[in-house]
Amino acid sequence: MLYLNNKLVTEKKALISVFDHGFLYGDGIYETLRAYKGAVFMIDEHIERLFRSASMIGLVLPKGHDGIKEAVYQTMKANGHKEAYVRITISRGPGPLGLDPALCPQPTFVIISKEFMDYPRSYYQKGVNIAIVNTRRNYKKALDPKIKSLNFLNNILAKRESIDRGAYEAIMLNHNGHVAEGTISNIFFVKDNILCTPATGVGILDGITRRIILDAARELGIKVKEGRFRPEDLYNADEVFISNTTMEVMPVSGVDDKKTPLKFTITRQLHKAYRKKVAEYIKG
Ligand code: PLP
């Protein structure tokens, strides 16, 4: 079952108009959430970010915070999901051709809940490889990556490059050549026991997993540096990992063709701390 506008419907009946501006123009926003043992981790933070994205594109959401939360749990319950991948998508809605958002008085609101499929264990044991691609991350004064937008072509072009190069994730630089983020992930590296990650000002999504990792590092007494970094910093790092809501903390085994053996010591420590936060959240 899926949640479409105000009700639960079967997948067959979950139909939206070809005039939906999400389809025509990529005009909309979304969130990806993960449920553990029936509890959606950091649901309030995800819904808050959804509201921030909405306000940055001038979209008035059809429900309030609590209404969205209730709809998420209703969708999971209807499917009997406890370990779930949940996606909330809100598009500008159907309207005549034309870019003016005022043409679309009613946004389309969709929630999809899918049974969560674990990533292969080998990814966490051996790490995944990443490639620094030529596609630059959207310039923040053009389309701010802070907006979790349906407009994903920037990420898809980067992803195509990483597929061509046999890499699991593509890392994009910003317009100045600073390391920004992956197509669906934030990036971290460790150098001389300092945990480094691009500052939000570089032009990235303010990842919820990223924030938890930074908090966990500070609690563990690990020095943290949010800044501007170059590809060489990744090539010369002791450890590299990527993060997002579904993969949590994913170790990186190699960056481009650089064969420096990467360690996973602090990466593992942070993943464990992240998991502890998930466990505490579920208990709460
Ligand atoms: N950066 C991009 C471009 C993303 O699409 C995502 C998640 O989908 C992230 C970073 C990580 O964000 P979060 O940790 O909130 O899932």
Side-chain angles (χ1 to χ4, degrees):
M1 300 292 277
L2 284 94
Y3 197 97
L4 175 60
N5 296 326
N6 263 322
K7 54 179 191 289
L8 286 161
V9 291
T10 59
E11 189 176 335
K12 267 198 177 152
K13 289 199 174 146
L15 303 174
I16 61 171
S17 165
V18 294
F19 287 98
D20 195 296
H21 283 209
F23 173 67
L24 289 173
Y25 306 119
D27 186 355
I29 53 168
Y30 80 102
E31 275 296 323
T32 298
L33 307 90
R34 180 169 168 185
Y36 300 82
K37 297 187 178 164
V40 181
F41 187 51
M42 305 298 277
I43 187 166
D44 290 319
E45 287 74 4
H46 280 281
I47 296 175
E48 278 160 22
R49 188 169 64 185
L50 191 68
F51 274 93
R52 269 203 305 283
S53 296
S55 102
M56 288 174 85
I57 68 162
L59 177 68
V60 178
L61 295 189
K63 286 181 190 296
H65 187 112
D66 291 345
I68 295 176
K69 200 165 165 176
E70 203 182 306
V72 165
Y73 277 107
Q74 237 181 300
T75 313
M76 279 172 50
K77 199 170 164 209
N79 290 288
H81 291 159
K82 297 261 183 245
E83 304 294 319
Y85 162 102
V86 178
R87 180 174 158 125
I88 308 172
T89 308
I90 303 163
S91 75
R92 190 75 66 178
L97 295 176
L99 303 188
D100 184 354
L103 295 168
C104 310
Q106 194 55 52
T108 303
F109 180 90
V110 175
I111 301 173
I112 298 169
S113 175
K114 254 183 24 180
E115 190 76 45
F116 187 75
M117 297 284 286
D118 260 325
Y119 289 84
R121 281 179 72 127
S122 62
Y123 287 15
Y124 293 100
Q125 284 161 347
K126 296 183 191 152
V128 296
N129 62 334
I130 59 173
I132 300 174
V133 295
N134 292 319
T135 304
R136 295 291 167 115
R137 187 64 175 124
N138 283 329
Y139 178 45
K140 64 180 177 183
K141 288 189 179 173
L143 174 53
D144 196 331
K146 253 193 216 145
I147 306 169
K148 206 159 164 55
S149 140
L150 292 189
N151 212 303
F152 236 56
L153 264 184
N154 178 220
N155 317 46
I156 290 165
L157 295 176
K159 178 77 185 172
R160 292 189 69 228
E161 282 191 68
S162 67
I163 293 167
D164 285 348
R165 287 163 57 182
Y168 180 76
E169 173 63 307
I171 301 301
M172 291 175 275
L173 307 178
N174 74 359
H175 61 289
N176 284 324
H178 294 125
V179 175
E181 62 182 339
T183 61
I184 54 161
S185 61
N186 289 115
I187 182 145
F188 291 80
F189 68 92
V190 177
K191 183 70 184 170
D192 299 331
N193 295 317
I194 301 173
L195 178 69
C196 304
T197 196
T200 52
V202 167
I204 58 168
L205 183 76
D206 179 8
I208 289 167
T209 319
R210 174 185 179 279
R211 270 188 251 155
I212 298 170
I213 292 166
L214 289 174
D215 286 347
R218 291 186 184 106
E219 286 161 22
L220 288 166
I222 297 168
K223 251 183 138 179
V224 165
K225 185 175 169 195
E226 292 177 74
R228 287 173 207 280
F229 304 103
R230 300 270 174 194
E232 293 68 35
D233 293 310
L234 289 182
Y235 298 149
N236 296 322
D238 302 321
E239 303 186 32
V240 179
F241 64 87
I242 52 178
S243 72
N244 76 18
T245 294
T246 57
M247 62 174 72
E248 306 173 338
V249 174
M250 180 72 80
V252 167
S253 55
V255 183
D256 289 342
D257 297 325
K258 300 287 171 288
K259 287 281 175 263
T260 21
L262 293 167
K263 295 184 292 180
F264 303 147
T265 321
I266 292 180
T267 305
R268 293 246 150 86
Q269 212 183 336
L270 289 169
H271 196 179
K272 205 170 143 196
Y274 183 87
R275 281 257 144 184
K276 202 169 147 212
K277 284 187 186 281
V278 171
E280 282 163 5
Y281 186 92
I282 296 168
K283 249 202 246 161

